[in-house]
Amino acid sequence: MAAIMVLATPAAASAQANDEMGVELLQLLVDEGVIPYDKAQELLNRARQKAEERKQRDTHNAASQPINVSYVPETVRAQIKEEVKAEVMASAKQEGLVAPGVLPKWMDGLELTGDFRARYQYENFDKDNFPFFPDLNQIIRDGGAPLKLPPSMNSTQDRGRMRYQALLGVNAQISKQVKFGLRLGSGDAPGIVSTNRTLGDFFAHDGVYIDRAYVELRPVDQVALVAGRMPNPFYSTDMMWDGDVNPEGAVLVANHKIGPARLFATGGYFPMQERELYSDRFMVGGQVGVDAELESGLSFKLAGAYYDFERMQSKKNTVNSRLNDYTAPVYLSRGNSIFNIRNDGLTSLPGLASEYDILAVTGSVGYRTPDIAIGVTGEYIQNLAFDANEIKALRVEPGVEPGDKGWQVRLDVGSELPGRRLTNPGDWRLAAAYKHLETDAVLDILTDSDFGLGGTNVKGYLLEGEYAVFRNTTLGLRWLSTNQIAGAPYAVDVLQVHVRTGF
């Protein structure tokens, strides 16, 4: 209210009615922080001056008998209001001030994104499961374990837990050719796959991790160079890449339109483990494919990829030596063929027994009508570097029968095709899938962390449904039932119930 008094006091009482509308408009803009006070005062004085000039001109042109007008006609008042408004808007745009429908220049290319999911998960283990599967990650963290009494992972006790996933990202279009992306994420640890955070640690503060940090350079529309920790640039299913994996490295992506079809190619270099004294582990990946969306509502996508993982296989120590301990993997899940790097008869340290050069063929067909969308997705994977005899030689003792192949097929029916968010209340989607993933078809640390609770050497099916209760807010239900393909018995059913929202 103080600002109104300052703006209005200099005007004479007889002129206050003339600029009443201008004062109200300017006062609103000052209160909302749209324009500074001195700019508002300047605009008000200018409007008063024009109104006074117009009044004198009208008086001079009137009949010989002067008429004393104590108010400004409604048409004149409306004209003053529009002139003030136009001047304010023009000034705000020129000076980069916030105004209705106008953002400052620095915000033109800024996009804020967020995603939150609260989930309850119940894990039901089969009563006939083998009870002593070694906890490979714990052994690696401990730098080895006693050969006869290694730590074991849970395979028999049912478990229920509440979890959440929180993601907050910023995308900045710095120029037509340059884009920057940053996303923060939750998680139990800064690991490879999951951004889920498990509740139940006496309300201790939760960690926040950099989930993405990358720059995208686009010298021409059809070509982009991306470097950093980026969204997965490869078209695939979660059998090869869990949906939460964001690879680190540099990638070149190219696209070319031919009629309704789009040809695409992706190639990149991805460090897996940088080592000071030894050669680095890395992946070189490439993919080519085609996709199209036709006017009939039919769409399709098909791609072939090759992933060459270098120096992933571990080396066995000579007797009583630990010189090759450095070849142990940094992370393990479950399923890949392993052997004991140690050769002292007392301790164990797990190592990967296979190399990984993976061929993946992925395809999907979709059909959309105004009422429903149907999609079928399939993927076939084979590890071309797999050598069963080499694996058996490294193991010395018999182990799980190794395999090099994986495949899955999935059907989606609902309001949207897979990969697209359900946005409007009443949107829905149902899905069913079957997977078969042998021991060394892929690296067990990169595949879906929910199916069989992660890893390879697993087969089974999943059923899921999702329904939008509010805009951009869904309720979801998943059921995953899996069995181990080879080796000791291991079966687990996983029930997941969640609410998800985002912007």
Side-chain angles (χ1 to χ4, degrees), residues 11 45 60 77 88 101 160 174 188 193 202 216 252 263 268 276 294 307 350-352 361 373 388 405 440 477 491:
N45 291 339
H60 179 74
R77 292 176 62 185
V88 170
I174 297 173
D188 286 333
V193 177
F202 291 95
E216 177 184 308
L252 186 67
L263 303 178
E276 182 178 0
L294 308 179
Y307 308 101
L352 285 173
V361 179
K405 299 177 179 61
D440 299 293
L477 180 68

Short mmCIF file of all heavy atoms in Angstrom, two decimals, residues 11 45 60 77 88 101 160 174 188 193 202 216 252 263 268 276 294 307 350-352 361 373 388 405 440 477 491:
data_model
loop_
_atom_site.label_atom_id
_atom_site.label_comp_id
_atom_site.label_asym_id
_atom_site.label_seq_id
_atom_site.Cartn_x
_atom_site.Cartn_y
_atom_site.Cartn_z
N ALA A 11 0.18 13.70 -7.73
CA ALA A 11 -0.91 14.13 -8.61
C ALA A 11 -1.90 14.99 -7.84
O ALA A 11 -2.21 14.72 -6.69
CB ALA A 11 -1.61 12.92 -9.19
N ASN A 45 4.10 9.16 -14.99
CA ASN A 45 4.25 10.59 -15.33
C ASN A 45 4.05 10.82 -16.82
O ASN A 45 3.43 11.80 -17.24
CB ASN A 45 5.63 11.08 -14.90
CG ASN A 45 5.78 11.13 -13.39
OD1 ASN A 45 4.79 11.18 -12.66
ND2 ASN A 45 7.03 11.11 -12.91
N HIS A 60 -9.50 23.16 -26.29
CA HIS A 60 -9.28 24.22 -27.27
C HIS A 60 -10.20 24.08 -28.47
O HIS A 60 -10.64 25.07 -29.05
CB HIS A 60 -7.81 24.15 -27.72
CG HIS A 60 -7.48 25.19 -28.76
ND1 HIS A 60 -7.35 26.54 -28.48
CD2 HIS A 60 -7.27 25.05 -30.10
CE1 HIS A 60 -7.06 27.19 -29.59
NE2 HIS A 60 -7.01 26.30 -30.60
N ARG A 77 -10.05 6.97 -20.79
CA ARG A 77 -9.44 6.20 -19.72
C ARG A 77 -8.97 4.84 -20.23
O ARG A 77 -7.89 4.35 -19.88
CB ARG A 77 -10.43 6.01 -18.57
CG ARG A 77 -10.76 7.30 -17.83
CD ARG A 77 -11.81 7.07 -16.77
NE ARG A 77 -11.34 6.13 -15.75
CZ ARG A 77 -12.11 5.70 -14.76
NH1 ARG A 77 -13.37 6.09 -14.68
NH2 ARG A 77 -11.63 4.87 -13.87
N VAL A 88 4.60 -0.67 -20.84
CA VAL A 88 5.18 -1.54 -19.81
C VAL A 88 5.66 -2.84 -20.42
O VAL A 88 6.76 -3.34 -20.13
CB VAL A 88 4.16 -1.81 -18.68
CG1 VAL A 88 4.67 -2.91 -17.76
CG2 VAL A 88 3.90 -0.54 -17.89
N GLY A 101 3.60 -13.94 -19.59
CA GLY A 101 3.89 -14.59 -20.86
C GLY A 101 5.29 -14.37 -21.37
O GLY A 101 5.62 -14.80 -22.46
N GLY A 160 10.07 -58.02 2.88
CA GLY A 160 9.21 -56.92 2.45
C GLY A 160 9.90 -55.61 2.78
O GLY A 160 10.45 -55.44 3.88
N ILE A 174 21.85 -24.24 -24.27
CA ILE A 174 22.71 -23.07 -24.19
C ILE A 174 22.72 -22.31 -25.51
O ILE A 174 22.73 -21.09 -25.53
CB ILE A 174 24.13 -23.51 -23.79
CG1 ILE A 174 24.07 -24.13 -22.37
CG2 ILE A 174 25.10 -22.35 -23.81
CD1 ILE A 174 25.36 -24.76 -21.92
N ASP A 188 20.64 -46.46 -2.77
CA ASP A 188 21.25 -47.01 -1.56
C ASP A 188 22.75 -46.83 -1.56
O ASP A 188 23.38 -46.79 -0.51
CB ASP A 188 20.91 -48.50 -1.44
CG ASP A 188 19.46 -48.72 -1.02
OD1 ASP A 188 18.90 -47.83 -0.35
OD2 ASP A 188 18.89 -49.76 -1.35
N VAL A 193 23.40 -49.78 -11.15
CA VAL A 193 22.08 -49.95 -11.73
C VAL A 193 21.00 -49.12 -11.04
O VAL A 193 20.50 -48.15 -11.59
CB VAL A 193 21.67 -51.45 -11.71
CG1 VAL A 193 20.27 -51.63 -12.23
CG2 VAL A 193 22.64 -52.25 -12.57
N PHE A 202 16.61 -45.91 10.66
CA PHE A 202 16.43 -45.01 11.80
C PHE A 202 16.41 -43.53 11.37
O PHE A 202 16.93 -42.65 12.05
CB PHE A 202 17.52 -45.24 12.85
CG PHE A 202 17.41 -46.55 13.55
CD1 PHE A 202 18.12 -47.65 13.11
CD2 PHE A 202 16.55 -46.71 14.63
CE1 PHE A 202 18.01 -48.89 13.74
CE2 PHE A 202 16.43 -47.94 15.27
CZ PHE A 202 17.15 -49.03 14.83
N GLU A 216 25.96 -32.01 -24.90
CA GLU A 216 25.63 -32.49 -26.25
C GLU A 216 25.94 -31.39 -27.25
O GLU A 216 25.43 -30.28 -27.13
CB GLU A 216 24.16 -32.86 -26.34
CG GLU A 216 23.70 -33.29 -27.73
CD GLU A 216 22.22 -33.56 -27.81
OE1 GLU A 216 21.72 -34.35 -26.96
OE2 GLU A 216 21.55 -32.99 -28.70
N LEU A 252 28.91 -40.72 -30.53
CA LEU A 252 28.51 -39.97 -31.72
C LEU A 252 27.23 -40.59 -32.27
O LEU A 252 27.16 -41.81 -32.47
CB LEU A 252 29.62 -40.03 -32.78
CG LEU A 252 29.40 -39.17 -34.03
CD1 LEU A 252 29.44 -37.69 -33.68
CD2 LEU A 252 30.47 -39.49 -35.08
N LEU A 263 16.83 -43.48 -40.50
CA LEU A 263 18.00 -44.32 -40.27
C LEU A 263 18.82 -43.71 -39.14
O LEU A 263 18.99 -42.49 -39.09
CB LEU A 263 18.84 -44.43 -41.54
CG LEU A 263 18.14 -44.95 -42.80
CD1 LEU A 263 19.10 -44.93 -43.97
CD2 LEU A 263 17.59 -46.35 -42.57
N GLY A 268 30.30 -45.37 -29.76
CA GLY A 268 30.89 -44.67 -28.63
C GLY A 268 31.95 -45.46 -27.89
O GLY A 268 32.11 -46.67 -28.08
N GLU A 276 45.57 -47.00 -12.70
CA GLU A 276 46.83 -46.27 -12.79
C GLU A 276 47.98 -47.14 -13.25
O GLU A 276 48.80 -46.74 -14.08
CB GLU A 276 47.15 -45.65 -11.43
CG GLU A 276 48.43 -44.81 -11.42
CD GLU A 276 48.69 -44.18 -10.08
OE1 GLU A 276 47.90 -44.40 -9.14
OE2 GLU A 276 49.72 -43.48 -9.96
N LEU A 294 4.04 -44.53 -39.37
CA LEU A 294 3.24 -44.37 -40.57
C LEU A 294 1.90 -43.72 -40.25
O LEU A 294 1.42 -43.78 -39.11
CB LEU A 294 3.03 -45.73 -41.24
CG LEU A 294 4.31 -46.54 -41.50
CD1 LEU A 294 3.96 -47.87 -42.13
CD2 LEU A 294 5.28 -45.75 -42.37
N TYR A 307 28.58 -54.80 -28.69
CA TYR A 307 29.25 -54.23 -27.53
C TYR A 307 30.51 -55.04 -27.24
O TYR A 307 30.43 -56.23 -26.87
CB TYR A 307 28.33 -54.26 -26.30
CG TYR A 307 26.96 -53.65 -26.54
CD1 TYR A 307 25.85 -54.47 -26.76
CD2 TYR A 307 26.77 -52.27 -26.55
CE1 TYR A 307 24.60 -53.94 -26.96
CE2 TYR A 307 25.51 -51.73 -26.76
CZ TYR A 307 24.43 -52.56 -26.96
OH TYR A 307 23.18 -52.02 -27.17
N PRO A 350 36.53 -63.84 -6.12
CA PRO A 350 35.87 -64.20 -7.38
C PRO A 350 36.38 -63.38 -8.56
O PRO A 350 36.67 -62.19 -8.45
CB PRO A 350 34.39 -63.88 -7.11
CG PRO A 350 34.42 -62.85 -6.03
CD PRO A 350 35.61 -63.16 -5.18
N GLY A 351 36.52 -64.08 -9.69
CA GLY A 351 36.89 -63.43 -10.93
C GLY A 351 35.97 -63.85 -12.05
O GLY A 351 35.38 -64.94 -12.01
N LEU A 352 35.82 -63.01 -13.07
CA LEU A 352 34.99 -63.34 -14.23
C LEU A 352 35.74 -64.33 -15.12
O LEU A 352 36.89 -64.12 -15.48
CB LEU A 352 34.65 -62.09 -15.02
CG LEU A 352 33.59 -61.17 -14.40
CD1 LEU A 352 33.47 -59.88 -15.21
CD2 LEU A 352 32.24 -61.87 -14.33
N VAL A 361 20.15 -57.90 -31.11
CA VAL A 361 19.19 -57.49 -32.13
C VAL A 361 17.87 -57.19 -31.43
O VAL A 361 17.32 -58.06 -30.74
CB VAL A 361 18.98 -58.59 -33.20
CG1 VAL A 361 17.95 -58.13 -34.22
CG2 VAL A 361 20.31 -58.92 -33.87
N ALA A 373 -3.52 -48.52 -27.91
CA ALA A 373 -2.21 -48.73 -28.51
C ALA A 373 -1.73 -50.14 -28.16
O ALA A 373 -1.92 -50.60 -27.03
CB ALA A 373 -1.21 -47.70 -28.02
N ALA A 388 33.12 -72.01 -23.64
CA ALA A 388 32.76 -72.90 -22.54
C ALA A 388 33.97 -73.68 -22.04
O ALA A 388 34.13 -73.88 -20.82
CB ALA A 388 31.65 -73.86 -22.97
N LYS A 405 23.49 -67.17 -24.44
CA LYS A 405 22.36 -66.58 -25.17
C LYS A 405 21.30 -66.01 -24.24
O LYS A 405 21.17 -66.43 -23.08
CB LYS A 405 21.71 -67.63 -26.09
CG LYS A 405 22.63 -68.18 -27.15
CD LYS A 405 21.94 -69.25 -27.96
CE LYS A 405 22.85 -69.81 -29.04
NZ LYS A 405 24.06 -70.44 -28.48
N ASP A 440 26.26 -66.16 -19.24
CA ASP A 440 27.22 -65.19 -19.75
C ASP A 440 26.74 -64.49 -21.02
O ASP A 440 27.55 -64.02 -21.83
CB ASP A 440 28.56 -65.88 -20.01
CG ASP A 440 29.14 -66.45 -18.72
OD1 ASP A 440 29.50 -65.68 -17.83
OD2 ASP A 440 29.19 -67.70 -18.60
N LEU A 477 1.32 -51.92 -10.59
CA LEU A 477 1.43 -53.23 -9.96
C LEU A 477 2.25 -54.14 -10.88
O LEU A 477 1.99 -54.20 -12.08
CB LEU A 477 0.04 -53.82 -9.74
CG LEU A 477 -0.04 -55.21 -9.09
CD1 LEU A 477 0.42 -55.13 -7.64
CD2 LEU A 477 -1.46 -55.75 -9.16
N ALA A 491 14.63 -69.90 -6.85
CA ALA A 491 13.42 -69.32 -7.44
C ALA A 491 12.91 -68.23 -6.52
O ALA A 491 12.95 -68.37 -5.29
CB ALA A 491 12.34 -70.39 -7.65
#
